[in-house]
Amino acid sequence: MPRRTRPRTQDQRRQRHKDVLHDRGGHRANDFRCVGCRLDVSVDAPGTAHRNHCPQCLASLHVDRRIPGDRASECRGRMEALAVFTRPDGEWMIVHQCLSCTELSSNRIAGDDNAIALMRLALRPLQDTDRASRTLINL
Amino acid sequence: MSTTSNTLKIHTFTCAWCGLTATKSTSDGALRNHCPSCLHSQHVADHVEGGPSECEGRMSPIAIAVLRTGDWMLIHRCVRCDELTSNPVCGDDNQLILMRMAVRPLAQPPFPLEALGSL
Ligand SMILES: [Zn+2]
Ligand SMILES: [Zn+2]
Ligand SMILES: [Zn+2]
Ligand SMILES: [Zn+2]
């Protein structure tokens, strides 16, 4: 699981922006700056067709309405990672919730999503040891 | 319990999925939106547009979210239209299903746990 450590300084990020001019595919037009941690995010993510959240803090923007990628919502609120769950095929999914309108969406994780951020999210229900042990004792 | 069959109907509902008859509100007065036994619900409200939904699909519990207060919320997804909802977990909800849901992702991490090092 070699994960890229991303440079944080503004200078380095600005340098990267020059790539836009030389990019033939035009993909870069969809790149975004994270509303959570200000990281510049490329939409070309390993292991996902459509990157919609920041690989570092997992935050997203409320742009889709009903279908992932439809970009039909005018909300533009900040969506925070709320929970993870596992699909029947074992793949992890993130549940995002919009901080402006409380809408929920579920999204596949990407190959370079921050493993610690994902793990922290997965451990949240077990973090309150009182709640967790009460649940276990009651089983 | 000395309730007539009429008030039973008013105060209870029958789960469309597992057949359990449950009270509409919990002992501490909270309204139920899902069956306390199988934790399934029914898609009757449209959360994107607001108002009622004609979907009526089965909503299956998929994840547990934790509020800042520490309270657990149950995330449901409609098996017909994929809509997601979030509702409070009730005190008498099936603890086994809740716990299984809470630990399930940890049983299948998308990366080797050793890679997390000193976490
Ligand atoms: Zn971010
Ligand atoms: Zn929103
Ligand atoms: Zn049921
Ligand atoms: Zn539905």
Side-chain angles (χ1 to χ4, degrees):
Chain A
M1 188 205 60
R3 279 159 194 273
R4 275 173 282 163
T5 37
R6 287 161 185 276
R8 275 194 170 188
T9 65
Q10 287 298 317
D11 291 321
Q12 278 169 299
R13 305 314 305 173
R14 270 194 206 108
Q15 288 286 319
R16 284 283 304 276
H17 271 292
K18 284 182 184 159
D19 291 356
V20 173
L21 302 173
H22 307 298
D23 189 69
R24 285 169 300 169
H27 274 64
R28 296 277 157 94
N30 294 321
D31 290 3
F32 59 91
R33 174 165 289 171
C34 174
V35 287
C37 69
R38 313 307 293 166
L39 180 77
D40 283 316
V41 181
S42 157
V43 287
D44 303 318
T48 180
H50 172 79
R51 155 123 68 202
N52 75 337
H53 58 263
C54 170
Q56 184 168 279
C57 74
L58 310 179
S60 176
L61 203 59
H62 189 186
V63 290
D64 295 337
R65 193 161 173 82
R66 290 202 190 257
I67 308 156
D70 70 10
R71 304 187 79 81
S73 174
E74 281 164 18
C75 176
R76 313 292 294 178
R78 173 165 155 193
M79 299 195 83
E80 264 190 5
L82 182 70
V84 292
F85 68 97
T86 315
R87 283 202 315 206
D89 65 2
E91 182 164 22
W92 273 31
M93 303 286 289
I94 301 176
V95 178
H96 280 99
Q97 183 163 42
C98 178
L99 297 184
S100 300
C101 72
T102 74
E103 175 137 342
L104 301 163
S105 73
S106 69
N107 299 284
R108 297 174 60 185
I109 63 166
D112 60 351
D113 279 351
N114 185 311
I116 292 174
L118 286 174
M119 209 54 190
R120 208 175 271 150
L121 205 53
L123 285 169
R124 247 188 230 175
L126 305 172
Q127 224 161 29
D128 177 355
T129 47
D130 275 359
R131 179 63 167 90
S133 57
R134 249 188 297 131
T135 306
L136 282 172
I137 287 163
N138 288 338
L139 285 185
Chain B
M1 277 231 264
S2 58
T3 35
T4 68
S5 68
N6 236 356
T7 53
L8 255 180
K9 257 180 215 155
I10 295 167
H11 296 294
T12 63
F13 70 98
T14 301
C15 173
W17 323 112
C18 76
L20 179 90
T21 299
T23 55
K24 282 181 184 168
S25 55
T26 63
S27 51
D28 43 3
L31 273 183
R32 286 187 208 282
N33 98 303
H34 54 263
C35 168
S37 175
C38 71
L39 306 190
H40 282 74
S41 179
Q42 191 158 25
H43 191 186
V44 289
D46 189 319
H47 301 269
V48 177
E49 313 282 350
S53 168
E54 278 158 25
C55 176
E56 293 185 3
R58 178 164 57 97
M59 302 202 74
S60 55
I62 56 164
I64 288 167
V66 185
L67 298 179
R68 292 192 201 286
T69 55
D71 290 329
W72 281 10
M73 301 291 282
L74 193 51
I75 312 284
H76 284 97
R77 186 175 53 199
C78 178
V79 299
R80 277 187 68 189
C81 73
D82 275 350
E83 184 151 321
L84 297 170
T85 61
S86 155
N87 287 281
V89 165
C90 297
D92 56 358
D93 278 349
N94 188 322
Q95 306 282 303
L96 184 61
I97 301 181
L98 287 176
M99 212 47 178
R100 200 192 287 147
M101 233 184 314
V103 299
R104 174 103 201 279
L106 300 172
Q108 285 172 296
F111 34 73
L113 289 181
E114 308 86 70
L116 292 175
S118 59
L119 180 75

